[in-house]
Amino acid sequence: MLSVVKDFVKGRNVFTKILVANRGEIACRVIKTARKMGIATVAVYSEADKDALHVQMADEGVLIGPAPAAQSYLLAERIVEACQQTGAEAVHPGYGFLSENAEFSQRLAAAGIAFIGPGVRALKQMGDKIESKQIARDARVNTIPGSDEVLRDAERAVACARAIGYPVMLKASAGGGGKGMRVAYNDQECREGFERATGEARSSFGDDRVFVEKYITEPRHIEIQVLGDAHGNVVYLGERECSLQRRNQKVIEESPSVFLTPETRASMGEQAVALAKAVDYQSAGTVEFIVDGDRNFYFLEMNTRLQVEHAVTEYVTGLDLVELMIRVAAGERLPFTQAEVRCQGWAIEARIYAEDPARKFLPAVGRLVRFSPPAESDGVRVDTGVYEGAEVSIYYDPMIAKLITYGRDRTQCIARMAGALGEFHIQGVTHNIPFLQALVLHPRFAQGRISTNTIAEEYPDGYDPALQAPKDLTLLITAGGVIHRRYRERAVQITDQLPGYELAADESWMVLAGGERHPIVVEPTPDGYQVKHDGVTHRVTTDWHFGDALFRGRFNGEEVCIQVERRQLVYRLRYQGSQIDMMVLPERVAELYAWMPVKQAPNLDKHLLSPMPGLLMRLYAAAGDPVKAGQDLAVVEAMKMENVLRAEQDGVVSRVLAAVGDSLAVDQTILEFE
Ligand code: ADP
Ligand code: ADP
Ligand code: MG
């Protein structure tokens, strides 16, 4: 922590009660800092969030409406009423929802309530991509070549695209959250992209203005954190690289960026500050840039709010950005100058999403039957808004938690991240932890050779942990042996066994895994076990108990952590992004097991199934209709994303089993083919 920050006089000028107009991890994050500052907190919540963690953490809670955000978290009126009802003097909006809504901040101002964010002018001018680009250019910030005008129609889009030169990107001026953009490589794609971007912009943002700009190939996304006060001071707090994205949404972020030279960093920082000053920016904000292979950087957009990934900046600067936001909103001066900002060490954030990487990262929902994050320490931080037993619903963002690690350098930081992901145990909701492990252990990540296309290039079909070659098969077989030995030891202790027929913790087994048979011998030693496999003896020590989800131990002296789940006869082991199912059986049983019938998976070619729980928005086919492979069949909306389901092959629809407006379960049949 910068020493100057401690000089803030506690409580001076600062609010006594604030309302947090958000939910989930960010609401909890804001409440933590407010509490540290001695400020009372008010949570708002929808009917779906009665038992949510942010409501439990706050001093008071106000119910603001039904589950859909449009009837609760997005209703400015309700938030203002909640402030008046509880006497909150200021509102922290978090990110998403009303955080960048100028009208909301005006309403608060009219009611005499402070907005913990930038002024109305900055919100308005930076909230619109076309306008913000113009302002950026006037402030001498590098911008991406483009039309910078609202496109009237598809023909105008094509004319502009030709003038810019393909490839181009069509973008919604009101866009956000990776929505409302399309890449086009030729005229036809440009026309289609224009229609799609326009449609998505209209339905997501109620504003169908679209513009076009050059598409930068193989770019990196690097953004600058800025912070301004009401006295004209603006500083930048280093950068964050957020190049690892899927569907234009961030997955892993880090600070600093491996790619920037001190010169590029300084000129990006200075341009970001120039832009912030041009709109009289008074809060924490982020200026996003796209950087090409030659380190040319171009302004993308400015996010006039706290960013999801702000914690990596907090780690490297030692600052609490929420505290600073609250203080500058109360009129305090920035307690340090640009020259006093120090960035030290390395921080990485991984976003843990309820989604299925094996199904093209589609959102998942369900109850968190197990939710056990790694222990927090100086190098490990977990920001979350859920707890064991909580439900992840279709109504809100699918992010379950953020895991942030810190190290003196990138290597240590990555190792901590890999370790902490291995200890993060979630069951009940499909999640992306194995995928994140694979990403942070990928050689391209270690080398820093990443771009916004990396995930699409390396994982074109998504990521299925069960289909990965196990990271270290010998280790897993050995662990399986020790796990089963522990199970047998426990079984032997069960009382009242028939004399003469007592169970023995036998030692020679066959491990069946990945269609292969691996004979092993597991023998106890004074401090653990030795496992003979393939002519080699491995030493294992562990304090693992049957039922523990994490198997921690030393394998030949090396520390490891493997996640274990028992499913009847099968042990499911997860390690470094891969997953393997195994059975540990006496040899004779293993032989007989080969004769067991295998259940065939049903043939699904004849059905169109909903790939996720969601709402059936549109259906493009009726019974009797012939369909062509690739043709759009239905649109399912979940987690604010529209997902188009297409025909896998030519055929004829025989039955329609769902209607527009239906709530669909995962794998529910929508159409049947002849
Ligand atoms: P960041 O840039 O902070 O990483 P994103 O741009 O991914 O974050 O957006 C943060 C959150 O805000 C996400 O939950 C996203 O869905 C939501 N969000 C951002 N912009 C909008 C918008 N214009 N409309 C609706 N939701 C948005
Ligand atoms: P959002 O408001 O949805 O966050 P951004 O304009 O910040 O939209 O873009 C999101 C992501 O889309 C960027 O991080 C980048 O990966 C990609 N992107 C946006 N514009 C371009 C462009 N002109 N060329 C290449 N990629 C782009
Ligand atoms: Mg962005």
Side-chain angles (χ1 to χ4, degrees):
M1 188 67 65
L2 278 176
S3 59
V4 267
V5 174
K6 294 192 191 121
D7 297 341
F8 269 136
V9 180
K10 235 193 163 91
R12 185 175 55 108
N13 290 337
V14 168
F15 316 107
T16 55
K17 191 191 265 190
I18 64 173
L19 181 144
V20 184
N22 215 301
R23 63 178 304 283
E25 68 86 16
I26 195 61
C28 298
R29 156 79 196 84
V30 173
I31 292 169
K32 269 187 198 161
T33 286
R35 188 188 279 165
K36 179 186 85 183
M37 296 171 73
I39 301 172
T41 51
V42 181
V44 290
Y45 61 97
S46 72
E47 280 161 15
D49 276 340
K50 275 198 215 48
D51 303 318
L53 192 59
H54 74 283
V55 185
Q56 295 174 21
M57 281 175 67
D59 299 310
E60 290 170 73
V62 179
L63 175 67
I64 50 167
Q71 297 169 44
S72 50
Y73 296 105
L74 283 167
L75 287 181
E77 187 102 8
R78 290 287 152 75
I79 310 283
V80 174
E81 283 164 15
C83 288
Q84 286 163 337
Q85 193 184 318
T86 55
E89 309 145 56
V91 169
H92 195 300
Y95 54 73
F97 297 131
L98 294 166
S99 59
E100 296 176 275
N101 188 311
E103 204 190 305
F104 173 56
S105 97
Q106 276 169 318
R107 281 201 194 198
L108 289 175
I113 301 157
F115 179 69
I116 303 172
V120 172
R121 189 178 132 211
L123 285 174
K124 276 195 179 146
Q125 294 184 324
M126 295 293 107
D128 186 85
K129 289 196 171 147
I130 296 179
E131 189 178 353
S132 66
K133 240 178 121 171
Q134 281 157 358
I135 295 169
R137 198 178 309 105
D138 294 343
R140 306 175 72 87
V141 174
N142 310 343
T143 56
I144 306 174
S147 68
D148 304 344
E149 61 170 50
V150 181
L151 301 169
R152 272 195 314 277
D153 52 31
E155 288 323 305
R156 182 70 197 146
V158 168
C160 289
R162 286 187 181 166
I164 299 163
Y166 287 105
V168 297
M169 194 168 213
L170 293 131
K171 273 184 168 179
S173 196
K179 272 161 275 175
M181 38 189 165
R182 288 291 182 285
V183 182
Y185 284 86
N186 53 47
D187 289 356
Q188 197 201 334
E189 287 179 6
C190 184
R191 283 190 196 96
E192 283 170 16
F194 173 82
E195 301 301 341
R196 286 219 175 273
T198 307
E200 213 166 290
R202 193 183 303 121
S203 66
S204 300
F205 314 115
D207 173 344
D208 65 1
R209 291 170 306 131
V210 166
F211 67 105
V212 61
E213 66 186 17
K214 183 83 189 160
Y215 178 67
I216 313 286
T217 46
E218 295 287 318
R220 303 175 79 118
H221 173 119
I222 303 178
E223 57 188 34
I224 303 287
Q225 175 72 52
V226 296
L227 182 65
D229 66 15
H231 308 276
N233 304 303
V234 182
V235 295
Y236 67 92
L237 304 173
E239 78 278 12
R240 292 183 289 257
E241 169 148 16
C242 320
S243 296
L244 290 176
Q245 309 183 342
R246 53 120 186 70
R247 284 204 236 102
N248 298 317
Q249 285 182 322
K250 299 160 186 170
V251 179
I252 288 185
E253 301 102 334
E254 60 184 313
S255 185
S257 159
V258 276
F259 194 60
L260 291 193
T261 60
E263 295 73 38
T264 319
R265 175 173 300 122
S267 65
M268 287 174 77
E270 281 153 20
Q271 290 196 10
V273 168
L275 176 60
K277 285 191 168 160
V279 293
D280 189 22
Y281 201 86
Q282 307 179 7
S283 189
T286 298
V287 181
E288 297 189 331
F289 292 97
I290 200 150
V291 185
D292 72 15
D294 300 321
R295 291 194 183 79
N296 297 309
F297 60 89
Y298 307 94
F299 170 73
L300 258 184
E301 64 161 344
M302 180 166 191
N303 290 325
T304 50
R305 55 171 159 88
L306 189 65
Q307 204 96 344
V308 174
E309 58 275 20
H310 71 279
V312 297
T313 301
E314 295 189 323
Y315 253 144
V316 296
T317 58
L319 298 168
D320 180 333
L321 287 178
V322 172
E323 175 176 352
L324 290 161
M325 284 178 88
I326 293 173
R327 291 190 181 278
V328 297
E332 289 195 17
R333 274 175 192 281
L334 285 185
F336 50 82
T337 63
Q338 187 67 58
E340 289 172 299
V341 174
R342 288 274 170 280
C343 293
Q344 269 172 2
W346 213 283
I348 298 178
E349 169 178 284
R351 297 193 191 187
I352 296 168
Y353 285 111
E355 66 180 15
D356 192 348
R359 289 178 179 231
K360 304 204 165 134
F361 302 101
L362 288 174
V365 295
R367 191 165 294 283
L368 293 160
V369 177
R370 294 290 281 272
F371 179 79
S372 169
E376 290 191 292
S377 67
D378 286 350
V380 178
R381 168 173 165 180
V382 182
D383 281 16
T384 186
V386 300
Y387 51 87
E388 195 161 283
E391 178 138 2
V392 178
S393 77
I394 59 165
Y395 297 110
Y396 313 111
D397 201 275
M399 198 168 72
I400 306 175
K402 304 187 306 201
L403 176 62
I404 311 106
T405 59
Y406 180 75
R408 63 178 174 272
D409 54 26
R410 193 165 185 264
T411 309
Q412 188 185 43
C413 187
I414 292 178
R416 283 190 176 157
M417 176 56 78
L421 284 168
E423 292 173 22
F424 211 131
H425 181 232
I426 298 179
Q427 234 177 282
V429 176
T430 313
H431 56 79
N432 65 339
I433 290 177
F435 172 63
L436 293 170
Q437 286 180 295
L439 264 182
V440 300
L441 293 168
H442 198 289
R444 272 185 74 175
F445 186 60
Q447 295 153 10
R449 280 193 304 115
I450 50 175
S451 81
T452 59
N453 304 323
T454 300
I455 291 181
E457 283 163 11
E458 298 294 330
Y459 306 98
D461 304 316
Y463 184 87
D464 188 342
L467 299 180
Q468 309 303 313
K471 265 281 163 25
D472 186 340
L473 190 58
T474 304
L475 166 72
L476 295 174
I477 288 169
T478 308
V482 173
I483 287 165
H484 192 63
R485 168 80 199 194
R486 287 286 226 216
Y487 169 64
R488 297 294 300 168
E489 285 169 4
R490 195 185 64 161
V492 166
Q493 287 163 9
I494 292 170
T495 50
D496 293 336
Q497 302 193 35
L498 205 60
Y501 294 88
E502 292 93 347
L503 287 168
D506 39 359
E507 294 170 349
S508 278
W509 290 307
M510 191 64 81
V511 176
L512 302 186
E516 306 269 331
R517 297 152 56 90
H518 309 271
I520 54 165
V521 178
V522 185
E523 291 163 342
T525 60
D527 64 342
Y529 301 92
Q530 58 177 24
V531 180
K532 291 187 189 134
H533 169 240
D534 243 356
V536 184
T537 301
H538 304 277
R539 285 168 297 106
V540 182
T541 56
T542 180
D543 57 2
W544 185 78
H545 292 282
F546 208 83
D548 291 352
L550 299 185
F551 181 93
R552 288 174 212 269
R554 284 184 171 275
F555 282 70
N556 300 326
E558 194 107 1
E559 233 174 273
V560 297
C561 175
I562 300 168
Q563 299 205 1
V564 186
E565 197 186 312
R566 183 163 175 247
R567 312 182 145 206
Q568 278 111 23
L569 277 184
V570 174
Y571 297 115
R572 172 164 289 181
L573 305 190
R574 294 193 183 86
Y575 180 64
Q576 297 196 346
S578 65
Q579 171 185 310
I580 189 167
D581 285 350
M582 60 174 63
M583 283 189 290
V584 187
L585 303 170
E587 189 151 353
R588 178 71 185 137
V589 179
E591 262 166 40
L592 295 173
Y593 198 82
W595 298 97
M596 293 287 281
V598 178
K599 192 176 165 202
Q600 295 293 328
N603 177 3
L604 297 174
D605 291 357
K606 297 277 173 225
H607 302 267
L608 177 74
L609 307 182
S610 178
M612 76 229 128
L615 190 70
L616 185 58
M617 301 280 289
R618 281 185 283 282
L619 248 182
Y620 299 117
D625 284 359
V627 299
K628 287 254 166 269
Q631 179 183 329
D632 292 0
L633 294 178
V635 177
V636 177
E637 191 209 59
M639 308 267 191
K640 304 184 291 187
M641 290 281 297
E642 283 188 16
N643 301 280
V644 182
L645 311 185
R646 300 194 169 84
E648 300 251 315
Q649 56 196 51
D650 296 357
V652 176
V653 177
S654 59
R655 284 208 297 163
V656 178
L657 293 148
V660 170
D662 281 1
S663 244
L664 303 171
V666 65
D667 284 343
Q668 184 173 334
T669 310
I670 302 170
L671 298 176
E672 233 173 64
F673 303 103
E674 277 173 11

